[in-house]
Amino acid sequence: MDSVYKSYSPALLRDCVSISKLDDIRSYIAASYAYYHNQAKVEEYVSQLQYGPEKGNQYFRIARSFENANDLAQTERFAKLAADSVMGYLELNPAGVSPASILASSLVLLTEVLEKQRKYEEAIRWLTDRTEYCSARNRAGLLSLKADMLVKAAKYKEALDTYTAVLKARAGGKVVEQKMKQAYVAWHGADTLGFEAYLSDIKARIAHEFSDSISKSTLKSKAPLFELKDLDGKIVKLADYLGKVVVLDFWATWCVPCKASFPAMQKAINKYSADTSVVFLFIDTWEYNDSMEKEIKEFLSKKQYTFRVLRDRKDEVVKQYGVDGVPAKFVIDREGYIRFSMKGFNGTDEESVAELAEMITLSR
């Protein structure tokens, strides 16, 4: 590894490789040495890292290598270095992995290694101090992780409060509810009936808060008009649905969260199957294979989804709607205005259907 690195002259490295790319090489070499427990060589290459905005990523790579080598102490050390080094660069939005995402990944890895050492309180402190700086899509998962550590630390009341925050973030489900039940029983004793009432009350309050928040929504922007072909080659025009409530769902075949949301979307379609005033359109976008129709049709048939899929072949409509990630949903009212928009998919199918139904009602 040393010979490969040293074979490049400094001038050639300056001319052909940016400092960032050179740091990539250094960190890969350090990570390789980490796997083979050569601490001296790890330190040698780590000391040469120069580019601050990328150091978090480099440290995280080395931490993962130490993890694979079962070196808990060094995994912990480099995960902390990664989490610390990104803090000054959270506002950056690079083309690659963002500092906020590196922070989230570092916190997950750090929590895992601290848990193995039964350092639950330390894991809780790191998650408490840093979760708010992570991207919104990662916060719910980190909150759930924090709740797990609170249970390990026998702080059951705090764990239940944190799991409740996870439910509010629409990132619950049966697994989280089962963990809540275990924490509740540990706190109160084997009172499972009491837990059911406790959980029902929490869900009712969350539903009320959600209902209150969306009823106050002031979003009302004109929905961009478009014309797209469906899987049978028929032209579909948004303008033709004026006077109806339209639900647009942007998705892609490679998108795991999109597919996770589909059972809920099918239930929503079933709910409104007899209501001709509500229309669901699924816009397949960000695909670069011209022969996707067959694959999509086979997927829909296999899953028995009755979706009307439109192909955004040139990625024009997804740009018109300002979508920066899928799944993304928009509820358009009878007058052609966007009233609600949603990103990602969290929560249970039942919650998702209920929330979408409320948005449809408010868009009539």
Side-chain angles (χ1 to χ4, degrees):
M1 289 177 284
D2 283 320
S3 61
V4 173
Y5 175 70
K6 292 175 180 177
S7 67
Y8 293 97
S9 69
L12 183 61
L13 286 170
R14 280 198 302 272
D15 291 342
C16 301
V17 186
S18 68
I19 292 175
S20 175
K21 294 298 182 182
L22 183 54
D23 275 358
D24 263 344
I25 296 171
R26 289 166 174 150
S27 66
Y28 273 117
I29 294 174
S32 297
Y33 278 123
Y35 184 76
Y36 291 104
H37 303 279
N38 191 330
Q39 191 66 38
K41 283 294 185 181
V42 172
E43 301 301 335
E44 177 185 338
Y45 283 95
V46 166
S47 69
Q48 297 177 49
L49 297 177
Q50 300 178 55
Y51 188 55
E54 287 291 333
K55 280 188 177 181
N57 197 12
Q58 318 299 358
Y59 290 144
F60 179 72
R61 176 180 293 137
I62 296 167
R64 289 300 304 269
S65 190
F66 273 121
E67 179 196 26
N68 291 333
N70 296 313
D71 188 331
L72 295 183
Q74 291 301 323
T75 304
E76 178 183 337
R77 175 193 166 202
F78 277 92
K80 287 178 178 177
L81 282 172
D84 277 336
S85 65
V86 299
M87 294 303 293
Y89 305 101
L90 293 174
E91 299 303 316
L92 295 182
N93 188 25
V97 182
S98 70
S101 294
I102 292 296
L103 175 60
S105 298
S106 301
L107 289 174
V108 171
L109 178 58
L110 178 58
T111 301
E112 289 174 356
V113 73
L114 290 174
E115 181 182 6
K116 289 177 181 177
Q117 300 173 83
R118 299 187 178 183
K119 298 180 180 179
Y120 308 129
E121 296 283 359
E122 187 174 358
I124 292 166
R125 285 196 298 274
W126 275 89
L127 290 166
T128 300
D129 292 343
R130 303 295 175 90
T131 294
E132 65 178 294
Y133 298 104
C134 297
S135 61
R137 66 180 180 179
N138 289 323
R139 284 179 207 146
L142 292 170
L143 276 176
S144 184
L145 198 56
K146 177 184 173 181
D148 293 346
M149 293 303 102
L150 286 164
V151 170
K152 295 274 187 179
K155 296 185 174 182
Y156 303 117
K157 175 61 169 62
E158 291 179 51
L160 285 168
D161 291 341
T162 307
Y163 282 131
T164 298
V166 175
L167 294 183
K168 286 184 178 180
R170 317 323 266 177
K174 297 301 180 184
V175 173
V176 170
E177 290 177 13
Q178 185 59 38
K179 288 180 178 180
M180 289 183 74
K181 184 174 182 178
Q182 293 169 355
Y184 184 93
V185 169
W187 185 33
H188 288 285
D191 183 7
T192 56
L193 291 178
F195 171 73
E196 296 304 327
Y198 170 82
L199 182 61
S200 295
D201 180 63
I202 287 174
K203 286 185 172 182
R205 283 191 283 112
I206 291 174
H208 178 74
E209 290 172 7
F210 176 80
S211 177
D212 186 55
S213 67
I214 68 167
S215 67
K216 295 176 181 177
S217 172
T218 58
L219 178 61
K220 193 170 183 180
S221 59
K222 199 67 177 176
L225 298 178
F226 60 81
E227 295 183 13
L228 292 173
K229 288 184 179 180
D230 65 14
L231 297 180
D232 296 320
K234 296 179 181 178
I235 294 177
V236 175
K237 300 178 182 180
L238 181 63
D240 290 342
Y241 296 107
L242 193 64
K244 300 178 184 291
V245 176
V246 179
V247 179
L248 298 183
D249 190 330
F250 288 87
W251 70 290
T253 58
W254 45 262
C255 171
V256 175
C258 297
K259 293 178 179 179
S261 73
F262 283 170
M265 292 305 293
Q266 184 61 57
K267 289 178 181 178
I269 289 173
N270 295 344
K271 178 181 178 70
Y272 291 95
S273 60
D275 188 343
T276 58
S277 68
V278 179
V279 176
F280 292 81
L281 299 176
F282 293 77
I283 302 180
D284 174 65
T285 192
W286 290 335
E287 306 273 20
Y288 303 104
N289 183 344
D290 289 336
S291 59
M292 289 301 301
E293 280 81 358
K294 181 180 178 182
E295 181 179 334
I296 295 172
K297 285 180 179 179
E298 289 176 350
F299 169 73
L300 296 177
S301 175
K302 181 180 179 181
K303 295 294 185 179
Q304 297 184 319
Y305 292 144
T306 59
F307 300 168
R308 187 166 194 190
V309 175
L310 314 181
R311 296 292 315 283
D312 186 17
R313 291 175 177 272
K314 297 181 180 179
D315 300 341
E316 293 176 343
V317 180
V318 75
K319 291 177 183 176
Q320 283 180 292
Y321 279 78
V323 175
D324 58 7
V326 289
K329 298 176 178 61
F330 297 84
V331 181
I332 302 171
D333 68 15
R334 292 173 180 266
E335 296 177 349
Y337 287 91
I338 297 172
R339 292 295 308 281
F340 302 99
S341 65
M342 298 161 281
K343 293 182 179 180
F345 174 72
N346 287 315
T348 65
D349 291 352
E350 290 71 23
E351 289 171 341
S352 298
V353 173
E355 291 170 2
L356 186 57
E358 191 153 5
M359 293 177 186
I360 290 171
T361 298
L362 292 170
S363 300
R364 289 186 183 277

